Amino acid sequence: MQLRKENILIVDDDVNILELLQRHLQSWHYHVFKAISVKEAVSILRDTQIDLLITDLKMPEVDGFELIKFVSEHYPKLPKLVVTGYPSIQDSLAAIKSGVVDYLTKPFTKDELKTAIDKSMVASQKAPTKEDSHKEVNTKAYGDIIGNSEKINDVIQVIERIKDNKATIFIKGESGTGKELVARAIHYQGKFSRAPFVAVNCGAIPENLLEAELFGYLKGAFTGAETNREGFFQAADGGTIFLDEIGNASLPVQSRLLRVLQEKEVVRVGSTKAEKIDVRIIAATNSDLREMIKKQTFREDLFYRLTVVEIEIAPLCERKEDIQLLVDKFLFKYGVEYKDRFVKITPEALTILERYEWPGNVRELENIIQRAVIMCDKVIEVQHLPEHLKYNLNFPSDELVPLRVMEKKYIQKVLKATDNNKSKAAEILQIDRKTIRQKLADQ
């Protein structure tokens, strides 16, 4: 297995500095990613495993300090190196306090840059001390997993125990809870992080093609097979393959998966030759596989092979204390993407988000924040949230709320029951249509 080179992300609004840094880094055989804004940097961080961040501080719109803060919260293990043409003691102290390993002042020599990079890389690879091993995992951000609830903490504690071995793992959770994020955290937080990670949505690939996509095929094995091709398992050799929606796999594919687990080898479609592989398998589903076993649509022996370690992700409605952290993450992400600035949210709007039951889980929350960021200017207010959130609130039985809030909730309930027929709703409520509009518009 060939390990990849280190990926270094450089962020500076001066293209000349970017080019200079790129030349130096490539001469040392690093793989370089460039960004001229925090917006571009966040996009790269979201899609690429980065090993070192090098950033300027003074940039238009969103500055480097905000990027450092974002990285510290969401990618705490990523080392950070600052290069700046506007040095100050205050900035230096602030950068170091934010977790920056080193601080270079422009202009700097090539040797000074190499020394700072080496120092940053060594700091990121520093072995944990005995004291560190007894510390509780920081659950505010763990890779892309965000949360400080007990249920998220439990998931992260399991990941910490299993990330450095290749036991087969099964992740269960409702749609939108973040099963792939957990799979990626298992891979990228462990010692196999430089090996490939391959994600496969078994529900998105037609049943007649899934077998060929997973295991590969030989030329002429079926109509359209014009060349020999490796499958996803071969592509993931040495690393991790994530099989999402495993319940969608047909029984023949399940049989071949069982062979992979038992023999650690794959046979391409159209071939009789077995190829050895070394792959950690992580499977996930929102289906009830035990019920599928009873209906004989899922193999019981495969189920037990897949569930050596089980991780269950709680729905968002059971960990509402994580909502504010998730909202902050999405505000930064989409504020930078759509507005080139940070977007805030009013306490009233946040309260509505925290009281909603979130049937679509984190994915639904992200979509709503994305829409609200687009619709607002600088601050998300109640008016920027979908109607069904504003008027379908769930209050604890012992919570006292203003009468106008309960009025709106009941009016919305009547409108829903009458298919949004305002005339009929007004008749039931014994008020006129104008009063309905006024009460619903009251913030």
Side-chain angles (χ1 to χ4, degrees):
M1 178 188 68
Q2 185 176 3
L3 299 181
R4 66 172 174 81
K5 297 182 291 184
E6 285 90 349
N7 292 335
I8 296 183
L9 170 61
I10 49 179
V11 188
D12 200 307
D13 61 321
D14 186 334
V15 293
N16 293 322
I17 292 295
L18 285 180
E19 293 297 331
L20 175 65
L21 288 171
Q22 182 180 31
R23 286 198 300 272
H24 289 337
L25 293 170
Q26 288 179 337
S27 72
W28 298 319
H29 306 293
Y30 291 116
H31 192 184
V32 181
F33 292 80
K34 297 185 295 183
I36 61 171
S37 68
V38 172
K39 177 180 178 179
E40 285 189 12
V42 171
S43 178
I44 292 170
L45 285 166
R46 191 166 63 238
D47 299 328
T48 309
Q49 180 70 14
I50 298 297
D51 301 296
L52 174 65
L53 169 69
I54 302 177
T55 183
D56 190 11
L57 291 181
K58 305 296 183 182
M59 291 184 285
E61 303 295 347
V62 183
D63 65 27
F65 275 117
E66 296 296 342
L67 176 60
I68 290 169
K69 179 182 176 183
F70 174 80
V71 169
S72 296
E73 290 181 353
H74 300 288
Y75 305 93
K77 292 187 177 183
L78 176 60
K80 301 170 285 291
L81 169 63
V82 163
V83 293
T84 182
Y86 305 92
S88 73
I89 294 176
Q90 184 178 1
D91 283 351
S92 299
L93 291 174
I96 293 170
K97 188 176 179 181
S98 299
V100 170
V101 178
D102 209 345
Y103 189 101
L104 283 178
T105 301
K106 303 173 187 175
F108 47 82
T109 67
K110 185 175 181 180
D111 288 341
E112 287 173 336
L113 176 62
K114 187 65 169 71
T115 299
I117 290 174
D118 290 343
K119 179 180 176 181
S120 300
M121 290 294 193
V122 169
S124 71
Q125 296 167 3
K126 182 182 176 183
T129 63
K130 184 176 181 181
E131 181 183 353
D132 292 332
S133 65
H134 293 290
K135 291 180 181 178
E136 187 170 321
V137 176
N138 175 11
T139 58
K140 187 176 181 183
Y142 185 88
D144 284 333
I145 301 174
I146 305 296
N148 57 10
S149 63
E150 183 178 351
K151 290 181 182 293
I152 284 295
N153 182 55
D154 290 344
V155 169
I156 293 173
Q157 295 293 347
V158 174
I159 294 174
E160 279 291 296
R161 290 182 177 275
I162 64 176
K163 64 183 182 179
D164 292 328
N165 64 63
K166 289 196 173 179
T168 305
I169 301 159
F170 179 72
I171 304 172
K172 184 176 181 181
E174 294 179 5
S175 179
T177 50
K179 295 186 288 295
E180 184 170 339
L181 291 184
V182 171
R184 288 183 178 275
I186 293 169
H187 178 78
Y188 287 115
Q189 298 298 318
K191 66 182 182 181
F192 306 112
S193 62
R194 295 188 184 281
F197 176 89
V198 177
V200 184
N201 186 338
C202 298
I205 301 175
E207 183 178 325
N208 62 327
L209 293 179
L210 182 59
E211 186 175 17
E213 292 293 327
L214 286 175
F215 309 113
Y217 53 84
L218 296 184
K219 180 179 179 180
F222 52 85
T223 303
E226 297 178 355
T227 61
N228 295 340
R229 181 174 171 180
E230 288 187 343
F232 291 128
F233 272 97
Q234 291 98 326
D237 191 26
T240 303
I241 187 168
F242 173 56
L243 303 176
D244 197 8
E245 298 306 335
I246 190 66
N248 290 83
S250 65
L251 287 173
V253 171
Q254 291 176 36
S255 297
R256 297 196 64 169
L257 283 173
L258 186 62
R259 176 182 175 87
V260 173
L261 286 164
Q262 290 173 334
E263 307 297 335
K264 305 296 182 185
E265 62 186 25
V266 297
V267 178
R268 300 192 197 194
V269 176
S271 174
T272 58
K273 180 182 177 181
E275 301 175 41
K276 286 291 182 182
I277 56 168
D278 175 24
V279 175
R280 170 171 51 191
I281 297 176
I282 303 178
T285 186
N286 59 10
S287 305
D288 187 341
L289 292 189
R290 288 182 172 85
E291 190 62 31
M292 292 180 67
I293 290 171
K294 291 179 183 178
K295 295 178 180 179
Q296 298 185 339
T297 56
F298 199 86
R299 293 184 60 127
E300 186 174 15
D301 47 2
L302 177 59
F303 173 78
Y304 289 116
R305 285 278 186 174
L306 290 174
T307 55
V308 175
V309 178
E310 288 191 65
I311 299 176
E312 183 163 3
I313 309 175
L316 188 55
C317 64
E318 294 181 10
R319 48 186 181 96
K320 289 192 173 182
E321 57 265 54
D322 293 335
I323 288 176
Q324 182 168 357
L325 291 174
L326 290 163
V327 168
D328 289 342
K329 172 186 177 180
F330 299 140
L331 285 177
F332 181 95
K333 174 181 175 180
Y334 292 112
V336 170
E337 182 172 346
Y338 295 123
K339 305 289 187 180
D340 287 328
R341 69 169 71 95
F342 293 106
V343 174
K344 297 182 179 180
I345 187 168
T346 65
E348 294 78 12
L350 181 61
T351 297
I352 287 176
L353 297 178
E354 290 175 333
R355 284 173 170 159
Y356 183 58
E357 288 303 298
W358 298 109
N361 293 294
V362 179
R363 186 182 294 124
E364 182 184 8
L365 173 61
E366 180 173 4
N367 290 342
I368 283 174
I369 295 297
Q370 182 180 9
R371 173 188 178 277
V373 167
I374 293 171
M375 300 303 295
C376 79
D377 184 14
K378 296 180 180 179
V379 180
I380 294 176
E381 300 182 45
V382 172
Q383 68 196 49
H384 301 119
L385 299 178
E387 296 297 311
H388 71 279
L389 262 70
K390 290 187 278 188
Y391 306 120
N392 283 278
L393 306 181
N394 293 281
F395 299 103
S397 58
D398 60 348
E399 182 177 354
L400 302 178
V401 298
L403 178 60
R404 62 181 176 80
V405 175
M406 293 305 296
E407 276 186 333
K408 286 196 290 188
K409 182 181 179 183
Y410 184 66
I411 290 171
Q412 184 65 19
K413 180 178 180 180
V414 173
L415 284 169
K416 184 176 180 181
T418 59
D419 293 328
N420 209 37
N421 186 322
K422 289 186 174 62
S423 297
K424 191 171 182 180
E427 182 181 345
I428 295 171
L429 294 166
Q430 297 185 1
I431 57 177
D432 57 35
R433 290 165 55 97
K434 181 180 179 181
T435 303
I436 288 179
R437 288 196 300 272
Q438 290 174 339
K439 288 184 178 293
L440 292 181
D442 181 19
Q443 300 294 337

